[in-house]
Amino acid sequence: MFKQFATLLRGRAHEAATAVTDRHALPILRQQIRDCAHAVQMSRKAVAVAMAQNEQEKKQHDRLTRQIADLETRTLAALDQNRENLAQDAAETIAHLEAERDVSTQAQARFDTEIARLRTVLREAETRLRQLQRGQRLATATDKTQRLQQVAPDSGLSTLREAEDTLHRLQERQSEMDATARAMTELEATGSAENIRDRLAEAGCGTPLRSSADEVLERLKKKARKSGKSKSN
């Protein structure tokens, strides 16, 4: 019985921890991504440090190579002068420098291998980080959408529909009032003497009230001809 009770407590604790994690999943994810970004930045720094150290090692290797070449030249000169003791000391120094040069060569090889490995790890980490960041943006957008759905439930949508119906009825009533006003204006205008006169004139009954374009053009032509005759005289 006690074992079952302990199991129940562990199960409840696990469910509670899972519920807390689920409720705060986005903040946890953001912090985890920040931690990942920091780790990627540290990886970049490690690659940069390794490359810098490799460059220093290359410079050290070049310096040792130059020293060995210079000492070999001088040792040959000492042998030409039969200065065996001096040549022996120089040979020991050359042997020491060659040992250092060999160590430097091995170090460069290790640096090259480690830099290649670190770059591979860094590229993979950067790719995974970008995927996580895209996933975070999508999860954030989804969370905001779901929150908006909670803020605007179906009852709010039904209120929107009611408001749309009210607006439609108001527009119909205003349209009806506009039509009535236009009809009243037409009725008032139909019975006036001026309106009857205008309608008769437009139908060609009697003298036109307004000059047509052809009449205006003909009048201007006559005026132009008269003006031309007066200038010729």
Side-chain angles (χ1 to χ4, degrees), residues 1-48:
M1 188 68 181
F2 176 79
K3 184 177 180 180
Q4 292 178 345
F5 182 72
T7 303
L8 175 62
L9 288 178
R10 291 200 306 273
R12 290 288 179 85
H14 175 74
E15 290 177 356
T18 302
V20 171
T21 302
D22 290 342
R23 283 197 303 272
H24 303 284
L26 274 178
I28 292 173
L29 177 61
R30 286 194 292 268
Q31 183 57 46
Q32 288 173 335
I33 289 178
R34 283 192 290 269
D35 293 340
C36 291
H38 179 70
V40 168
Q41 184 62 30
M42 295 302 295
S43 296
R44 291 196 192 101
K45 186 175 181 180
V47 172

mmCIF file of all heavy atoms in Angstrom, residues 1-48:
data_model
loop_
_atom_site.group_PDB
_atom_site.id
_atom_site.type_symbol
_atom_site.label_atom_id
_atom_site.label_comp_id
_atom_site.label_asym_id
_atom_site.label_seq_id
_atom_site.Cartn_x
_atom_site.Cartn_y
_atom_site.Cartn_z
ATOM 1 N N MET A 1 0.830 -1.211 0.000
ATOM 2 C CA MET A 1 0.000 0.000 0.000
ATOM 3 C C MET A 1 0.867 1.265 0.000
ATOM 4 O O MET A 1 0.580 2.225 -0.706
ATOM 5 C CB MET A 1 -0.909 -0.019 1.246
ATOM 6 C CG MET A 1 -1.933 1.091 1.250
ATOM 7 S SD MET A 1 -3.165 0.867 -0.054
ATOM 8 C CE MET A 1 -4.165 2.333 0.200
ATOM 9 N N PHE A 2 1.913 1.237 0.835
ATOM 10 C CA PHE A 2 2.793 2.396 0.899
ATOM 11 C C PHE A 2 3.487 2.629 -0.441
ATOM 12 O O PHE A 2 3.667 3.769 -0.880
ATOM 13 C CB PHE A 2 3.838 2.181 2.008
ATOM 14 C CG PHE A 2 4.836 3.282 2.088
ATOM 15 C CD1 PHE A 2 4.514 4.485 2.703
ATOM 16 C CD2 PHE A 2 6.104 3.129 1.530
ATOM 17 C CE1 PHE A 2 5.438 5.518 2.771
ATOM 18 C CE2 PHE A 2 7.026 4.156 1.593
ATOM 19 C CZ PHE A 2 6.691 5.346 2.215
ATOM 20 N N LYS A 3 3.864 1.520 -1.115
ATOM 21 C CA LYS A 3 4.520 1.634 -2.413
ATOM 22 C C LYS A 3 3.586 2.277 -3.436
ATOM 23 O O LYS A 3 3.996 3.134 -4.226
ATOM 24 C CB LYS A 3 4.967 0.253 -2.889
ATOM 25 C CG LYS A 3 5.741 0.289 -4.197
ATOM 26 C CD LYS A 3 6.202 -1.110 -4.568
ATOM 27 C CE LYS A 3 6.981 -1.087 -5.875
ATOM 28 N NZ LYS A 3 7.436 -2.456 -6.263
ATOM 29 N N GLN A 4 2.315 1.885 -3.409
ATOM 30 C CA GLN A 4 1.350 2.477 -4.334
ATOM 31 C C GLN A 4 1.137 3.962 -4.040
ATOM 32 O O GLN A 4 0.995 4.778 -4.967
ATOM 33 C CB GLN A 4 0.018 1.722 -4.242
ATOM 34 C CG GLN A 4 0.091 0.299 -4.767
ATOM 35 C CD GLN A 4 -1.237 -0.421 -4.596
ATOM 36 O OE1 GLN A 4 -2.109 0.032 -3.847
ATOM 37 N NE2 GLN A 4 -1.369 -1.571 -5.263
ATOM 38 N N PHE A 5 1.112 4.306 -2.740
ATOM 39 C CA PHE A 5 0.947 5.710 -2.359
ATOM 40 C C PHE A 5 2.137 6.546 -2.834
ATOM 41 O O PHE A 5 1.967 7.660 -3.352
ATOM 42 C CB PHE A 5 0.797 5.801 -0.836
ATOM 43 C CG PHE A 5 0.583 7.197 -0.341
ATOM 44 C CD1 PHE A 5 -0.629 7.848 -0.547
ATOM 45 C CD2 PHE A 5 1.604 7.874 0.327
ATOM 46 C CE1 PHE A 5 -0.822 9.132 -0.087
ATOM 47 C CE2 PHE A 5 1.415 9.154 0.786
ATOM 48 C CZ PHE A 5 0.188 9.797 0.572
ATOM 49 N N ALA A 6 3.360 6.002 -2.694
ATOM 50 C CA ALA A 6 4.556 6.719 -3.163
ATOM 51 C C ALA A 6 4.524 6.874 -4.676
ATOM 52 O O ALA A 6 4.885 7.928 -5.224
ATOM 53 C CB ALA A 6 5.810 5.960 -2.721
ATOM 54 N N THR A 7 4.059 5.797 -5.353
ATOM 55 C CA THR A 7 3.944 5.877 -6.812
ATOM 56 C C THR A 7 2.930 6.939 -7.205
ATOM 57 O O THR A 7 3.143 7.698 -8.174
ATOM 58 C CB THR A 7 3.529 4.519 -7.384
ATOM 59 O OG1 THR A 7 4.493 3.518 -6.989
ATOM 60 C CG2 THR A 7 3.475 4.575 -8.914
ATOM 61 N N LEU A 8 1.819 7.019 -6.487
ATOM 62 C CA LEU A 8 0.815 8.035 -6.763
ATOM 63 C C LEU A 8 1.372 9.439 -6.578
ATOM 64 O O LEU A 8 1.134 10.337 -7.405
ATOM 65 C CB LEU A 8 -0.389 7.829 -5.837
ATOM 66 C CG LEU A 8 -1.500 8.895 -5.929
ATOM 67 C CD1 LEU A 8 -2.102 8.917 -7.333
ATOM 68 C CD2 LEU A 8 -2.572 8.637 -4.871
ATOM 69 N N LEU A 9 2.141 9.637 -5.521
ATOM 70 C CA LEU A 9 2.740 10.949 -5.281
ATOM 71 C C LEU A 9 3.704 11.325 -6.404
ATOM 72 O O LEU A 9 3.711 12.471 -6.880
ATOM 73 C CB LEU A 9 3.478 10.949 -3.933
ATOM 74 C CG LEU A 9 2.600 10.932 -2.674
ATOM 75 C CD1 LEU A 9 3.474 10.890 -1.422
ATOM 76 C CD2 LEU A 9 1.695 12.153 -2.645
ATOM 77 N N ARG A 10 4.520 10.363 -6.843
ATOM 78 C CA ARG A 10 5.440 10.654 -7.933
ATOM 79 C C ARG A 10 4.686 10.975 -9.219
ATOM 80 O O ARG A 10 5.061 11.878 -9.979
ATOM 81 C CB ARG A 10 6.385 9.468 -8.174
ATOM 82 C CG ARG A 10 7.389 9.242 -7.061
ATOM 83 C CD ARG A 10 8.576 8.405 -7.535
ATOM 84 N NE ARG A 10 8.139 7.157 -8.142
ATOM 85 C CZ ARG A 10 7.906 6.024 -7.474
ATOM 86 N NH1 ARG A 10 8.081 6.007 -6.152
ATOM 87 N NH2 ARG A 10 7.530 4.941 -8.092
ATOM 88 N N GLY A 11 3.572 10.218 -9.434
ATOM 89 C CA GLY A 11 2.766 10.475 -10.637
ATOM 90 C C GLY A 11 2.137 11.855 -10.604
ATOM 91 O O GLY A 11 2.136 12.579 -11.615
ATOM 92 N N ARG A 12 1.599 12.238 -9.453
ATOM 93 C CA ARG A 12 1.001 13.573 -9.320
ATOM 94 C C ARG A 12 2.063 14.661 -9.491
ATOM 95 O O ARG A 12 1.812 15.702 -10.130
ATOM 96 C CB ARG A 12 0.327 13.703 -7.954
ATOM 97 C CG ARG A 12 -0.925 12.861 -7.792
ATOM 98 C CD ARG A 12 -2.073 13.437 -8.612
ATOM 99 N NE ARG A 12 -3.277 12.659 -8.504
ATOM 100 C CZ ARG A 12 -4.183 12.779 -7.524
ATOM 101 N NH1 ARG A 12 -3.964 13.668 -6.555
ATOM 102 N NH2 ARG A 12 -5.254 12.037 -7.510
ATOM 103 N N ALA A 13 3.234 14.451 -8.924
ATOM 104 C CA ALA A 13 4.318 15.442 -9.041
ATOM 105 C C ALA A 13 4.742 15.588 -10.504
ATOM 106 O O ALA A 13 4.975 16.705 -10.989
ATOM 107 C CB ALA A 13 5.505 15.031 -8.173
ATOM 108 N N HIS A 14 4.820 14.441 -11.189
ATOM 109 C CA HIS A 14 5.206 14.501 -12.607
ATOM 110 C C HIS A 14 4.152 15.244 -13.424
ATOM 111 O O HIS A 14 4.488 16.078 -14.281
ATOM 112 C CB HIS A 14 5.392 13.077 -13.142
ATOM 113 C CG HIS A 14 5.679 13.035 -14.616
ATOM 114 N ND1 HIS A 14 6.890 13.393 -15.150
ATOM 115 C CD2 HIS A 14 4.875 12.687 -15.671
ATOM 116 C CE1 HIS A 14 6.844 13.267 -16.463
ATOM 117 N NE2 HIS A 14 5.638 12.843 -16.810
ATOM 118 N N GLU A 15 2.872 14.948 -13.165
ATOM 119 C CA GLU A 15 1.797 15.622 -13.898
ATOM 120 C C GLU A 15 1.787 17.124 -13.613
ATOM 121 O O GLU A 15 1.561 17.935 -14.511
ATOM 122 C CB GLU A 15 0.453 15.002 -13.534
ATOM 123 C CG GLU A 15 0.280 13.589 -14.076
ATOM 124 C CD GLU A 15 -1.038 12.976 -13.634
ATOM 125 O OE1 GLU A 15 -1.757 13.640 -12.839
ATOM 126 O OE2 GLU A 15 -1.347 11.852 -14.054
ATOM 127 N N ALA A 16 2.030 17.492 -12.338
ATOM 128 C CA ALA A 16 2.063 18.915 -11.981
ATOM 129 C C ALA A 16 3.233 19.616 -12.672
ATOM 130 O O ALA A 16 3.087 20.727 -13.205
ATOM 131 C CB ALA A 16 2.176 19.077 -10.463
ATOM 132 N N ALA A 17 4.394 18.959 -12.672
ATOM 133 C CA ALA A 17 5.557 19.561 -13.337
ATOM 134 C C ALA A 17 5.319 19.692 -14.834
ATOM 135 O O ALA A 17 5.666 20.703 -15.457
ATOM 136 C CB ALA A 17 6.800 18.710 -13.074
ATOM 137 N N THR A 18 4.677 18.659 -15.417
ATOM 138 C CA THR A 18 4.374 18.715 -16.849
ATOM 139 C C THR A 18 3.391 19.837 -17.152
ATOM 140 O O THR A 18 3.527 20.555 -18.156
ATOM 141 C CB THR A 18 3.793 17.369 -17.322
ATOM 142 O OG1 THR A 18 4.745 16.318 -17.047
ATOM 143 C CG2 THR A 18 3.503 17.394 -18.812
ATOM 144 N N ALA A 19 2.389 20.004 -16.281
ATOM 145 C CA ALA A 19 1.398 21.063 -16.490
ATOM 146 C C ALA A 19 2.048 22.441 -16.414
ATOM 147 O O ALA A 19 1.753 23.333 -17.217
ATOM 148 C CB ALA A 19 0.286 20.945 -15.443
ATOM 149 N N VAL A 20 2.944 22.629 -15.436
ATOM 150 C CA VAL A 20 3.650 23.912 -15.318
ATOM 151 C C VAL A 20 4.512 24.155 -16.549
ATOM 152 O O VAL A 20 4.542 25.263 -17.100
ATOM 153 C CB VAL A 20 4.517 23.932 -14.041
ATOM 154 C CG1 VAL A 20 5.414 25.159 -14.026
ATOM 155 C CG2 VAL A 20 3.627 23.918 -12.802
ATOM 156 N N THR A 21 5.201 23.105 -17.008
ATOM 157 C CA THR A 21 6.039 23.239 -18.206
ATOM 158 C C THR A 21 5.208 23.593 -19.420
ATOM 159 O O THR A 21 5.596 24.442 -20.234
ATOM 160 C CB THR A 21 6.807 21.928 -18.453
ATOM 161 O OG1 THR A 21 7.604 21.628 -17.305
ATOM 162 C CG2 THR A 21 7.704 22.053 -19.674
ATOM 163 N N ASP A 22 4.044 22.950 -19.560
ATOM 164 C CA ASP A 22 3.174 23.232 -20.710
ATOM 165 C C ASP A 22 2.650 24.662 -20.671
ATOM 166 O O ASP A 22 2.582 25.332 -21.710
ATOM 167 C CB ASP A 22 2.000 22.246 -20.731
ATOM 168 C CG ASP A 22 2.456 20.833 -21.074
ATOM 169 O OD1 ASP A 22 3.564 20.690 -21.622
ATOM 170 O OD2 ASP A 22 1.709 19.879 -20.777
ATOM 171 N N ARG A 23 2.275 25.131 -19.466
ATOM 172 C CA ARG A 23 1.735 26.488 -19.351
ATOM 173 C C ARG A 23 2.794 27.533 -19.679
ATOM 174 O O ARG A 23 2.482 28.607 -20.202
ATOM 175 C CB ARG A 23 1.185 26.727 -17.941
ATOM 176 C CG ARG A 23 -0.168 26.096 -17.688
ATOM 177 C CD ARG A 23 -0.822 26.717 -16.464
ATOM 178 N NE ARG A 23 0.008 26.605 -15.281
ATOM 179 C CZ ARG A 23 -0.014 25.559 -14.445
ATOM 180 N NH1 ARG A 23 -0.810 24.539 -14.693
ATOM 181 N NH2 ARG A 23 0.756 25.549 -13.377
ATOM 182 N N HIS A 24 4.034 27.233 -19.363
ATOM 183 C CA HIS A 24 5.114 28.203 -19.573
ATOM 184 C C HIS A 24 6.080 27.729 -20.656
ATOM 185 O O HIS A 24 7.277 28.025 -20.600
ATOM 186 C CB HIS A 24 5.872 28.429 -18.261
ATOM 187 C CG HIS A 24 5.003 28.897 -17.136
ATOM 188 N ND1 HIS A 24 4.541 30.197 -17.037
ATOM 189 C CD2 HIS A 24 4.477 28.227 -16.073
ATOM 190 C CE1 HIS A 24 3.785 30.308 -15.950
ATOM 191 N NE2 HIS A 24 3.733 29.135 -15.347
ATOM 192 N N ALA A 25 5.542 27.004 -21.635
ATOM 193 C CA ALA A 25 6.399 26.420 -22.670
ATOM 194 C C ALA A 25 7.123 27.491 -23.474
ATOM 195 O O ALA A 25 8.313 27.358 -23.763
ATOM 196 C CB ALA A 25 5.571 25.528 -23.599
ATOM 197 N N LEU A 26 6.412 28.564 -23.846
ATOM 198 C CA LEU A 26 7.045 29.598 -24.666
ATOM 199 C C LEU A 26 8.181 30.311 -23.936
ATOM 200 O O LEU A 26 9.275 30.477 -24.501
ATOM 201 C CB LEU A 26 5.995 30.599 -25.152
ATOM 202 C CG LEU A 26 5.275 30.218 -26.444
ATOM 203 C CD1 LEU A 26 4.217 31.255 -26.792
ATOM 204 C CD2 LEU A 26 6.261 30.083 -27.590
ATOM 205 N N PRO A 27 7.977 30.787 -22.690
ATOM 206 C CA PRO A 27 9.118 31.387 -21.977
ATOM 207 C C PRO A 27 10.288 30.427 -21.802
ATOM 208 O O PRO A 27 11.455 30.826 -21.918
ATOM 209 C CB PRO A 27 8.517 31.787 -20.624
ATOM 210 C CG PRO A 27 7.055 31.945 -20.880
ATOM 211 C CD PRO A 27 6.727 30.913 -21.911
ATOM 212 N N ILE A 28 9.976 29.149 -21.532
ATOM 213 C CA ILE A 28 11.049 28.161 -21.390
ATOM 214 C C ILE A 28 11.793 28.003 -22.712
ATOM 215 O O ILE A 28 13.026 27.971 -22.748
ATOM 216 C CB ILE A 28 10.462 26.803 -20.928
ATOM 217 C CG1 ILE A 28 9.939 26.921 -19.491
ATOM 218 C CG2 ILE A 28 11.515 25.706 -21.023
ATOM 219 C CD1 ILE A 28 9.197 25.693 -19.005
ATOM 220 N N LEU A 29 11.022 27.934 -23.822
ATOM 221 C CA LEU A 29 11.645 27.790 -25.138
ATOM 222 C C LEU A 29 12.514 28.996 -25.472
ATOM 223 O O LEU A 29 13.635 28.843 -25.993
ATOM 224 C CB LEU A 29 10.562 27.611 -26.208
ATOM 225 C CG LEU A 29 11.054 27.521 -27.656
ATOM 226 C CD1 LEU A 29 11.969 26.319 -27.826
ATOM 227 C CD2 LEU A 29 9.887 27.460 -28.621
ATOM 228 N N ARG A 30 12.019 30.204 -25.164
ATOM 229 C CA ARG A 30 12.814 31.406 -25.441
ATOM 230 C C ARG A 30 14.140 31.387 -24.680
ATOM 231 O O ARG A 30 15.191 31.742 -25.233
ATOM 232 C CB ARG A 30 12.004 32.660 -25.106
ATOM 233 C CG ARG A 30 10.910 32.981 -26.109
ATOM 234 C CD ARG A 30 10.390 34.391 -25.907
ATOM 235 N NE ARG A 30 9.675 34.522 -24.649
ATOM 236 C CZ ARG A 30 8.359 34.348 -24.522
ATOM 237 N NH1 ARG A 30 7.628 34.046 -25.578
ATOM 238 N NH2 ARG A 30 7.770 34.494 -23.354
ATOM 239 N N GLN A 31 14.080 30.988 -23.412
ATOM 240 C CA GLN A 31 15.308 30.941 -22.614
ATOM 241 C C GLN A 31 16.253 29.858 -23.137
ATOM 242 O O GLN A 31 17.476 30.061 -23.202
ATOM 243 C CB GLN A 31 14.976 30.690 -21.143
ATOM 244 C CG GLN A 31 16.191 30.690 -20.227
ATOM 245 C CD GLN A 31 16.972 31.995 -20.313
ATOM 246 O OE1 GLN A 31 16.403 33.078 -20.291
ATOM 247 N NE2 GLN A 31 18.296 31.901 -20.417
ATOM 248 N N GLN A 32 15.686 28.702 -23.516
ATOM 249 C CA GLN A 32 16.528 27.643 -24.059
ATOM 250 C C GLN A 32 17.214 28.085 -25.347
ATOM 251 O O GLN A 32 18.388 27.775 -25.576
ATOM 252 C CB GLN A 32 15.679 26.386 -24.312
ATOM 253 C CG GLN A 32 15.251 25.680 -23.029
ATOM 254 C CD GLN A 32 14.273 24.552 -23.288
ATOM 255 O OE1 GLN A 32 13.555 24.551 -24.297
ATOM 256 N NE2 GLN A 32 14.231 23.580 -22.393
ATOM 257 N N ILE A 33 16.478 28.830 -26.179
ATOM 258 C CA ILE A 33 17.076 29.313 -27.424
ATOM 259 C C ILE A 33 18.159 30.342 -27.122
ATOM 260 O O ILE A 33 19.198 30.388 -27.797
ATOM 261 C CB ILE A 33 15.985 29.883 -28.345
ATOM 262 C CG1 ILE A 33 15.132 28.735 -28.891
ATOM 263 C CG2 ILE A 33 16.583 30.690 -29.487
ATOM 264 C CD1 ILE A 33 14.000 29.179 -29.772
ATOM 265 N N ARG A 34 17.920 31.196 -26.117
ATOM 266 C CA ARG A 34 18.979 32.136 -25.715
ATOM 267 C C ARG A 34 20.227 31.380 -25.253
ATOM 268 O O ARG A 34 21.355 31.773 -25.570
ATOM 269 C CB ARG A 34 18.469 33.069 -24.620
ATOM 270 C CG ARG A 34 17.556 34.179 -25.125
ATOM 271 C CD ARG A 34 17.333 35.233 -24.064
ATOM 272 N NE ARG A 34 16.521 34.732 -22.967
ATOM 273 C CZ ARG A 34 15.192 34.823 -22.909
ATOM 274 N NH1 ARG A 34 14.532 35.402 -23.895
ATOM 275 N NH2 ARG A 34 14.530 34.362 -21.872
ATOM 276 N N ASP A 35 20.019 30.295 -24.493
ATOM 277 C CA ASP A 35 21.152 29.480 -24.047
ATOM 278 C C ASP A 35 21.865 28.855 -25.244
ATOM 279 O O ASP A 35 23.109 28.812 -25.290
ATOM 280 C CB ASP A 35 20.674 28.390 -23.085
ATOM 281 C CG ASP A 35 20.147 28.960 -21.774
ATOM 282 O OD1 ASP A 35 20.486 30.114 -21.445
ATOM 283 O OD2 ASP A 35 19.376 28.250 -21.085
ATOM 284 N N CYS A 36 21.070 28.382 -26.217
ATOM 285 C CA CYS A 36 21.666 27.786 -27.414
ATOM 286 C C CYS A 36 22.457 28.829 -28.195
ATOM 287 O O CYS A 36 23.556 28.546 -28.692
ATOM 288 C CB CYS A 36 20.572 27.186 -28.309
ATOM 289 S SG CYS A 36 19.770 25.724 -27.596
ATOM 290 N N ALA A 37 21.896 30.028 -28.322
ATOM 291 C CA ALA A 37 22.588 31.095 -29.043
ATOM 292 C C ALA A 37 23.902 31.437 -28.350
ATOM 293 O O ALA A 37 24.926 31.683 -29.013
ATOM 294 C CB ALA A 37 21.697 32.336 -29.150
ATOM 295 N N HIS A 38 23.882 31.454 -27.023
ATOM 296 C CA HIS A 38 25.123 31.721 -26.276
ATOM 297 C C HIS A 38 26.140 30.614 -26.522
ATOM 298 O O HIS A 38 27.344 30.888 -26.702
ATOM 299 C CB HIS A 38 24.815 31.836 -24.786
ATOM 300 C CG HIS A 38 26.023 32.078 -23.937
ATOM 301 N ND1 HIS A 38 26.729 33.259 -23.941
ATOM 302 C CD2 HIS A 38 26.686 31.252 -23.068
ATOM 303 C CE1 HIS A 38 27.749 33.182 -23.108
ATOM 304 N NE2 HIS A 38 27.751 31.972 -22.568
ATOM 305 N N ALA A 39 25.664 29.355 -26.539
ATOM 306 C CA ALA A 39 26.572 28.236 -26.781
ATOM 307 C C ALA A 39 27.171 28.314 -28.188
ATOM 308 O O ALA A 39 28.359 28.041 -28.380
ATOM 309 C CB ALA A 39 25.829 26.913 -26.595
ATOM 310 N N VAL A 40 26.343 28.705 -29.168
ATOM 311 C CA VAL A 40 26.846 28.854 -30.537
ATOM 312 C C VAL A 40 27.885 29.964 -30.598
ATOM 313 O O VAL A 40 28.920 29.840 -31.270
ATOM 314 C CB VAL A 40 25.681 29.132 -31.505
ATOM 315 C CG1 VAL A 40 26.196 29.579 -32.873
ATOM 316 C CG2 VAL A 40 24.813 27.888 -31.656
ATOM 317 N N GLN A 41 27.621 31.057 -29.874
ATOM 318 C CA GLN A 41 28.587 32.162 -29.840
ATOM 319 C C GLN A 41 29.910 31.713 -29.223
ATOM 320 O O GLN A 41 30.992 32.080 -29.704
ATOM 321 C CB GLN A 41 28.004 33.332 -29.052
ATOM 322 C CG GLN A 41 28.887 34.569 -29.023
ATOM 323 C CD GLN A 41 29.128 35.151 -30.403
ATOM 324 O OE1 GLN A 41 28.288 35.046 -31.288
ATOM 325 N NE2 GLN A 41 30.278 35.775 -30.587
ATOM 326 N N MET A 42 29.829 30.916 -28.177
ATOM 327 C CA MET A 42 31.044 30.400 -27.553
ATOM 328 C C MET A 42 31.786 29.452 -28.501
ATOM 329 O O MET A 42 33.019 29.425 -28.520
ATOM 330 C CB MET A 42 30.702 29.677 -26.247
ATOM 331 C CG MET A 42 30.131 30.587 -25.174
ATOM 332 S SD MET A 42 31.243 31.968 -24.746
ATOM 333 C CE MET A 42 32.620 31.066 -24.039
ATOM 334 N N SER A 43 31.020 28.695 -29.309
ATOM 335 C CA SER A 43 31.655 27.807 -30.292
ATOM 336 C C SER A 43 32.387 28.630 -31.351
ATOM 337 O O SER A 43 33.492 28.274 -31.774
ATOM 338 C CB SER A 43 30.595 26.911 -30.946
ATOM 339 O OG SER A 43 30.003 26.058 -29.995
ATOM 340 N N ARG A 44 31.757 29.723 -31.796
ATOM 341 C CA ARG A 44 32.437 30.605 -32.755
ATOM 342 C C ARG A 44 33.748 31.128 -32.154
ATOM 343 O O ARG A 44 34.772 31.199 -32.834
ATOM 344 C CB ARG A 44 31.525 31.775 -33.120
ATOM 345 C CG ARG A 44 30.315 31.411 -33.944
ATOM 346 C CD ARG A 44 29.711 32.653 -34.582
ATOM 347 N NE ARG A 44 28.396 32.376 -35.145
ATOM 348 C CZ ARG A 44 27.251 32.683 -34.573
ATOM 349 N NH1 ARG A 44 27.246 33.297 -33.396
ATOM 350 N NH2 ARG A 44 26.102 32.399 -35.156
ATOM 351 N N LYS A 45 33.672 31.512 -30.876
ATOM 352 C CA LYS A 45 34.865 32.036 -30.219
ATOM 353 C C LYS A 45 35.943 30.965 -30.130
ATOM 354 O O LYS A 45 37.145 31.247 -30.327
ATOM 355 C CB LYS A 45 34.512 32.551 -28.824
ATOM 356 C CG LYS A 45 35.661 33.235 -28.116
ATOM 357 C CD LYS A 45 35.218 33.826 -26.785
ATOM 358 C CE LYS A 45 36.372 34.533 -26.099
ATOM 359 N NZ LYS A 45 35.965 35.112 -24.795
ATOM 360 N N ALA A 46 35.526 29.723 -29.865
ATOM 361 C CA ALA A 46 36.499 28.635 -29.774
ATOM 362 C C ALA A 46 37.180 28.402 -31.112
ATOM 363 O O ALA A 46 38.402 28.177 -31.177
ATOM 364 C CB ALA A 46 35.799 27.348 -29.304
ATOM 365 N N VAL A 47 36.410 28.481 -32.200
ATOM 366 C CA VAL A 47 36.996 28.334 -33.534
ATOM 367 C C VAL A 47 37.974 29.465 -33.801
ATOM 368 O O VAL A 47 39.084 29.250 -34.316
ATOM 369 C CB VAL A 47 35.895 28.298 -34.615
ATOM 370 C CG1 VAL A 47 36.514 28.332 -36.006
ATOM 371 C CG2 VAL A 47 35.032 27.051 -34.460
ATOM 372 N N ALA A 48 37.565 30.688 -33.451
ATOM 373 C CA ALA A 48 38.441 31.842 -33.678
ATOM 374 C C ALA A 48 39.732 31.718 -32.870
ATOM 375 O O ALA A 48 40.830 32.031 -33.378
ATOM 376 C CB ALA A 48 37.709 33.132 -33.310
#
